[in-house]
Amino acid sequence: MSKRAMITGITGQDGSYLAELLLGEGYEVTGIIRRLSHPNLNRIEHLLDRIRLHPADLLDGLSLIRAIEENEPDELYNLAAMSFVPASWDQPLLTGEFNAQGVTRVLDAVRRVNPKIKLYQASSSEMFGKVREVPQTELTPFYPRSPYGVSKVFGHYITVNYRESYGLFACSGILFNHESPRRGLEFVTRKVSDGVARIKLGIEQKLYLGNLEAHRDWGFAGDYVRAMWLMLQQPTADDYVVATGESHSVRDLVEVAFGHAGLDWKAHVEVDPRFLRPAEVDHLIGNAAKARQSLGWAPSVDFAGLVGMMVDSDIERLSGIKPPKPR
Ligand code: NAP
Ligand code: G4F
């Protein structure tokens, strides 16, 4: 009999890649979707004839219990979250409801319905925030710098606590930034790849960004969902950092992305203070030695390959759009 997996956040970047991977591994996949007035299935359209969708919401514990009872998953991947850091200052309470208490609702639903279900929690390198150690490992202390980061620290520790209190097979993946052509347009890598494509095609002239000096450890989302799956295939539950071990500034990102399209970024990029954050995470770089050794995981796409893939994809997507007539 094939294994059954349930994914919260299946309509997001990671959910779509994870669903593809699990289908390829022979799983029956159920995705949790929340009710929206307008469906948001564009990232999983190509999978709709092979997956099941079940309505539920992280804000409603009863809906999660029902979803688990009716679909009987062997593995549950909790990817749903309010994932955009700046929005967490605008909506700190809702961020906590989704990303902190939402995790508790998922864990408790698993505990009540079937404590044998293996669970993956999507933790984040944003928990390291004002970093206490370079590079960051599973043992580096947390110092979050946004309501998002704070909410993810809660989600991380409640996962550890349910593992230790109730013996759940619950893993927390501390994933560093991972990107792809399916990344939301508000995140910096996609904002840049989309901006480069628009400028290359003559649709826009300028790209407005915030802090160019921030450094991130950027990898490819397709590689990172494999690490999530590998965590749940181990004999015991544990927590893992997943990262490339390479850090680049936003300035590097811009230079590589514009260069890939044969453009000089200095002619097009301007800093707009509206995109600066009340508190910044300056420099993230992860040490994924544990994931490499225990899971046999390694990234397959490097920084230049990732940026090139995203720029090419946005140029192709936007190629049909005509530039505006000069006024
Ligand atoms: P994403 O593209 O923003 O997707 C978030 C998903 O969560 C969407 O499917 C969204 O559904 C769903 N969602 C939000 N609130 C919900 C609710 N109340 N009930 C049910 N579903 C809800 O995020 P991502 O980049 O794929 O990231 C996946 C997870 O990994 C998130 O938890 C994120 O915080 C974490 N993470 C991401 C990264 C990264 O670099 N990508 C790094 C570390 C950790 P809608 O489509 O309905 O909005
Ligand atoms: O792309 P970002 O918005 O991602 P951020 O804040 O690092 O968060 C992402 O990665 C986390 C893992 O570490 C996830 F947990 C989280 O869910 C999300 O996926 O910003 C990256 C950096 C920041 O330092 C930001 O200040 O880019 C800088 N930046 C500079 N200009 C900008 C911009 N970020 C955005 N979004 N937009 C800009 O114009």
Side-chain angles (χ1 to χ4, degrees), residues 19-97:
E20 277 171 15
L21 180 142
L22 293 172
L23 288 169
E25 295 291 338
Y27 282 69
E28 285 174 31
V29 175
T30 301
I32 297 298
I33 47 162
R34 53 178 171 168
R35 205 202 91 75
L36 298 170
S37 61
H38 188 70
N40 167 27
L41 303 174
N42 55 312
R43 290 189 180 103
I44 51 169
E45 241 154 28
H46 59 299
L47 304 176
L48 288 177
D49 57 343
R50 291 187 284 151
I51 60 176
R52 205 185 312 178
L53 296 178
H54 189 110
D57 198 303
L58 285 195
L59 297 182
D60 185 336
L62 291 179
S63 72
L64 296 169
I65 290 175
R66 263 187 226 126
I68 296 171
E69 280 175 346
E70 287 173 25
N71 294 284
E72 299 182 331
D74 302 296
E75 298 174 9
L76 196 161
Y77 296 84
N78 183 37
L79 309 186
M82 200 304 289
S83 73
F84 188 47
V85 173
S88 75
W89 278 284
D90 297 331
Q91 300 188 323
L93 290 174
L94 193 56
T95 300
E97 281 297 335

Side-chain angles (χ1 to χ4, degrees), residues 282-319:
D282 294 317
H283 196 159
L284 291 176
I285 178 164
N287 175 353
K290 182 175 169 184
R292 283 177 186 265
Q293 278 150 25
S294 306
L295 307 179
W297 177 87
S300 71
V301 179
D302 67 7
F303 178 66
L306 173 66
V307 175
M309 175 204 307
M310 293 177 70
V311 169
D312 290 344
S313 164
D314 276 320
I315 289 177
E316 192 185 325
R317 180 179 62 90
L318 292 169
S319 286

Side-chain angles (χ1 to χ4, degrees), residues 166-207:
Y166 304 115
L168 293 192
F169 191 110
C171 298
S172 172
I174 307 175
L175 270 52
F176 283 62
N177 299 49
H178 44 279
E179 319 293 318
S180 74
R182 298 183 201 168
R183 186 59 140 151
L185 281 162
E186 68 273 45
F187 298 91
V188 75
T189 52
R190 187 71 199 290
K191 185 171 168 182
V192 168
S193 65
D194 177 75
V196 167
R198 286 173 188 277
I199 291 166
K200 180 75 181 170
L201 297 170
I203 303 165
E204 310 271 357
Q205 290 304 314
K206 293 282 180 199
L207 175 63

Side-chain angles (χ1 to χ4, degrees), residues 1-278:
M1 246 180 55
S2 45
K3 281 212 250 179
R4 284 189 291 264
M6 178 174 279
I7 305 174
T8 73
I10 196 165
T11 56
Q13 171 189 255
D14 290 7
S16 66
Y17 282 109
L18 180 63
E20 277 171 15
L21 180 142
L22 293 172
L23 288 169
E25 295 291 338
Y27 282 69
E28 285 174 31
V29 175
T30 301
I32 297 298
I33 47 162
R34 53 178 171 168
R35 205 202 91 75
L36 298 170
S37 61
H38 188 70
N40 167 27
L41 303 174
N42 55 312
R43 290 189 180 103
I44 51 169
E45 241 154 28
H46 59 299
L47 304 176
L48 288 177
D49 57 343
R50 291 187 284 151
I51 60 176
R52 205 185 312 178
L53 296 178
H54 189 110
D57 198 303
L58 285 195
L59 297 182
D60 185 336
L62 291 179
S63 72
L64 296 169
I65 290 175
R66 263 187 226 126
I68 296 171
E69 280 175 346
E70 287 173 25
N71 294 284
E72 299 182 331
D74 302 296
E75 298 174 9
L76 196 161
Y77 296 84
N78 183 37
L79 309 186
M82 200 304 289
S83 73
F84 188 47
V85 173
S88 75
W89 278 284
D90 297 331
Q91 300 188 323
L93 290 174
L94 193 56
T95 300
E97 281 297 335
F98 287 168
N99 299 4
Q101 296 309 358
V103 184
T104 316
R105 291 185 194 101
V106 171
L107 286 160
D108 215 62
V110 165
R111 180 175 80 88
R112 280 160 197 274
V113 179
N114 176 9
K116 290 204 165 57
I117 295 169
K118 295 183 174 181
L119 190 137
Y120 173 83
Q121 166 56 21
S123 291
S124 165
S125 53
E126 279 289 303
M127 301 190 301
F128 296 122
K130 191 166 180 176
V131 298
R132 309 282 85 190
E133 186 179 29
V134 179
Q136 294 85 52
T137 74
E138 293 78 7
L139 301 177
T140 303
F142 300 137
Y143 191 146
R145 293 275 280 171
S146 62
Y148 171 85
V150 173
S151 71
K152 283 286 179 180
V153 171
F154 184 97
H156 173 77
Y157 278 127
I158 198 71
T159 302
V160 173
N161 181 262
Y162 266 59
R163 182 169 74 217
E164 294 177 353
S165 303
Y166 304 115
L168 293 192
F169 191 110
C171 298
S172 172
I174 307 175
L175 270 52
F176 283 62
N177 299 49
H178 44 279
E179 319 293 318
S180 74
R182 298 183 201 168
R183 186 59 140 151
L185 281 162
E186 68 273 45
F187 298 91
V188 75
T189 52
R190 187 71 199 290
K191 185 171 168 182
V192 168
S193 65
D194 177 75
V196 167
R198 286 173 188 277
I199 291 166
K200 180 75 181 170
L201 297 170
I203 303 165
E204 310 271 357
Q205 290 304 314
K206 293 282 180 199
L207 175 63
Y208 298 94
L209 295 173
N211 179 9
L212 301 185
E213 307 314 323
H215 283 67
R216 289 291 181 278
D217 180 331
W218 278 296
F220 171 53
D223 286 336
Y224 285 46
V225 298
R226 176 158 289 277
M228 298 175 188
W229 175 69
L230 286 169
M231 286 179 213
L232 299 200
Q233 312 315 308
Q234 303 308 305
T236 49
D238 208 340
D239 308 323
Y240 300 87
V241 158
V242 180
T244 69
E246 249 190 59
S247 190
H248 295 271
S249 65
V250 175
R251 187 183 294 273
D252 294 339
L253 165 70
V254 159
E255 195 170 339
V256 172
F258 277 82
H260 185 78
L263 296 167
D264 175 7
W265 71 275
K266 290 191 180 118
H268 301 284
V269 172
E270 285 184 20
V271 171
D272 183 333
R274 280 185 306 141
F275 298 115
L276 300 175
R277 299 179 180 189

